[in-house]
């Protein structure tokens, strides 16, 4: 006996009818008929599945236009969403690391809207080199002979190794074989660059004689790696840049250091822990130095190689350089960031990374006191909300053992359940502008170090 089709299927409107509905016409005009037709067909299929499984129409079927609008809004939402970073980590890798300064943003917009002299020489009306202008600026700021820019510091290390030591040996201290987030390991990069790693010394102590004893006719590079994301303390010893450079000159072997984060300024003058500067190692005689653009430098993601002109020229000629080169947007952002360093007196105000790192605890305390009454009034029936001191961290592997005194708003679930805090954190992550805090010690912490607009946070949290 043939089963009669469910009469609910006949209530599914046709595509043609839907496209001509007055409430749907504005969507067609805004998004075009192709996207609207595809979306409506998927909605029809969802209705058929619902009828088959539950023998009923979905709740939204009485207003196809509203349901369509909601789906289009979700579909067109950008994957990279602005968030409130209240995690307590200033240079948060998962949240995009350094914020760019306003002059940098303006420079990027300009190069996006117009053809630019990326590889064009106005003097000779011919082809120029995309790194040249930026390399000159880096040399002015650091005293380097020349510079090369690629898309991140891992690429900088890979390109350096492939140019200088492919098929040869690279000597590195065992205590400096770092791994950073995303499983980037120095030994693995050396393999990809075609180099043979030679470990010397021990985890906690490496001496100059260890490097000396490892040198042979296959040695192509003596290398140091700054342990930016961990610290070895106690009975330790390491070879200085000056010692390694002198050994390199004596042995006629080039030397290099990967600084990872790298800072172009003396952080101690701002009351922050000191971080190695590339110009210091260049002054000590190291041939090549690499570091990141989007960490302590406060710019876009980029890898910067500074050093002796003969080696930079060789690096620029390597086939990998084209695969790893930076585009016009990165170059424009990096140049505009570096221009700020030409005015050091204004740097702390203009460079967001430095501004956030140097905020005084009292400033965050005062903000917490301003925010607390309204947030307590809104959340007080379910949570105990307090204003408490805390410590921020710099992040992105920079100065891992150092903490910055800060201030936070904390939430403790009135029912004592950790799941209640998790639910609150999940709710905040679902906001139009998500709020990212951290759960620790039975509290949900909102570290205010990276918050400069308290009113915007109130608008987000007071749903």
């Amino acid at each position: 006996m043939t089963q009669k089709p469910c009469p609910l299927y006949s209530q599914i409107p046709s595509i043609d009818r839907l496209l001509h509905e007055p409430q749907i016409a504005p969507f067609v005009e805004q998004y075009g008929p192709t996207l609207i037709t595809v979306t409506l067909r998927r909605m029809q299929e969802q209705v058929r599945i619902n009828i088959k499984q539950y023998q009923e129409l979905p709740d939204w079927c009485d207003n196809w236009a509203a349901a369509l609008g909601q789906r289009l809004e979700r579909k067109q939402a950008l994957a990279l969403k602005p968030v409130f970073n209240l995690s307590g980590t200033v240079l948060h890798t998962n949240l995009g690391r350094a914020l760019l300064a306003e002059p940098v943003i303006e420079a990027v917009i300009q190069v996006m809207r117009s053809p630019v002299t990326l590889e064009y020489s106005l003097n000779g009306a011919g082809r120029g080199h995309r790194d040249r202008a930026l390399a000159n600026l880096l040399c002015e700021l650091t005293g380097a002979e020349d510079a090369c820019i690629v898309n991140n510091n891992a690429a900088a290390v890979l390109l350096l190794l492939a140019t200088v030591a492919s098929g040869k040996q690279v000597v590195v201290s065992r205590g400096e074989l770092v791994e950073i987030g995303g499983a980037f390991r120095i030994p693995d990069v050396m393999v990809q660059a075609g180099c043979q790693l030679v470990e010397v010394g021990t985890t906690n102590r490496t001496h100059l004689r260890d490097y000396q004893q490892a040198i042979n006719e296959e040695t192509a590079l003596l290398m140091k790696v700054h342990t930016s994301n961990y610290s070895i303390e106690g009975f330790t010893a390491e070879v200085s840049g000056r010692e390694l450079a002198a050994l390199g000159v004596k042995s006629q072997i080039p030397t290099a250091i990967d600084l990872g984060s790298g800072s172009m300024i003396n952080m101690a003058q701002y009351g922050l822990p000191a971080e190695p500067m590339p110009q210091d190692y260049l002054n000590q005689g190291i041939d090549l130095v690499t570091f990141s653009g989007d960490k302590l430098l406060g710019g876009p993601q980029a890898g910067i190689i500074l050093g002796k002109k003969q080696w930079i020229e060789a690096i620029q000629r390597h086939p990998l350089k084209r695969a790893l080169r930076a585009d016009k947007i990165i170059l424009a952002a990096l140049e505009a960031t570096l221009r700020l360093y030409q005015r050091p007196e204004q740097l702390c105000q203009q460079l967001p990374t430095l501004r956030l790192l140097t905020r005084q605890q009292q400033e965050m305390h005062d903000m917490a006191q301003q925010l607390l009454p309204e947030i307590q009034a809104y959340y007080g029936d379910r949570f105990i909300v307090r204003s408490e001191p805390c410590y921020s961290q710099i992040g992105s592997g920079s100065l891992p053992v150092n903490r910055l005194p800060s201030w936070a708003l904390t939430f403790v679930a009135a029912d004592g359940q950790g799941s209640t805090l998790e639910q609150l954190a999940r709710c905040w992550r679902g906001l139009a502008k998500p709020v990212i805090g951290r759960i620790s010690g039975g509290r949900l912490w909102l570290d205010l170090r990276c918050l400069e607009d308290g009113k915007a946070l109130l608008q987000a949290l007071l749903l």
Side-chain angles (χ1 to χ4, degrees), residues 278-294:
Q279 51 267 48
D280 289 343
Y281 283 101
L282 294 173
N283 291 336
Q284 292 170 15
I286 295 293
D287 293 302
L288 293 164
V289 180
T290 72
F291 60 102
S292 296
D294 59 346

Side-chain angles (χ1 to χ4, degrees), residues 238-274:
E238 67 171 299
V239 177
S240 70
R242 193 175 302 280
E243 291 175 315
L244 192 66
L247 178 60
V249 171
K250 179 181 178 181
S251 307
Q252 296 185 320
I253 298 172
T255 54
I257 179 166
D258 168 23
L259 286 182
S261 295
S263 174
M264 293 272 288
I265 54 173
N266 180 5
M267 304 291 284
Q269 67 181 306
Y270 298 100
L272 296 169

Side-chain angles (χ1 to χ4, degrees), residues 135-153:
N136 291 341
L137 180 55
L138 282 163
C139 292
E140 174 192 325
L141 291 169
T142 66
E145 292 183 12
D146 206 351
C148 173
I149 299 93
V150 289
N151 55 31
N152 62 29
N153 189 52

Side-chain angles (χ1 to χ4, degrees), residues 61-174:
C61 272
D62 58 349
N63 194 337
W64 280 72
L68 174 63
Q70 292 172 358
R71 282 163 173 76
L72 290 171
E73 185 177 353
R74 290 196 299 267
K75 188 184 228 19
Q76 296 301 305
L78 296 177
L80 297 181
K81 300 183 65 173
V83 303
F84 290 97
N85 176 16
L86 307 184
S87 66
T89 301
V90 178
L91 296 172
H92 199 306
T93 298
N94 298 346
L95 300 180
R97 291 183 178 166
L99 303 181
L100 299 184
E102 288 303 318
V104 177
I105 295 170
E106 293 170 6
V108 169
I109 292 173
Q110 185 176 7
V111 302
M112 292 172 67
R113 285 179 169 165
S114 172
V116 294
T117 54
L118 178 63
E119 291 185 355
Y120 185 84
S121 171
L122 293 174
N123 293 329
R127 183 163 187 166
H129 196 289
R130 66 174 57 206
D131 287 1
R132 190 66 267 150
L134 201 45
N136 291 341
L137 180 55
L138 282 163
C139 292
E140 174 192 325
L141 291 169
T142 66
E145 292 183 12
D146 206 351
C148 173
I149 299 93
V150 289
N151 55 31
N152 62 29
N153 189 52
V157 174
L158 175 66
L159 183 57
L160 184 158
L161 291 170
T163 302
V164 177
S166 181
K168 298 287 187 176
Q169 294 180 357
V170 179
V171 184
V172 184
S173 167
R174 181 172 284 108

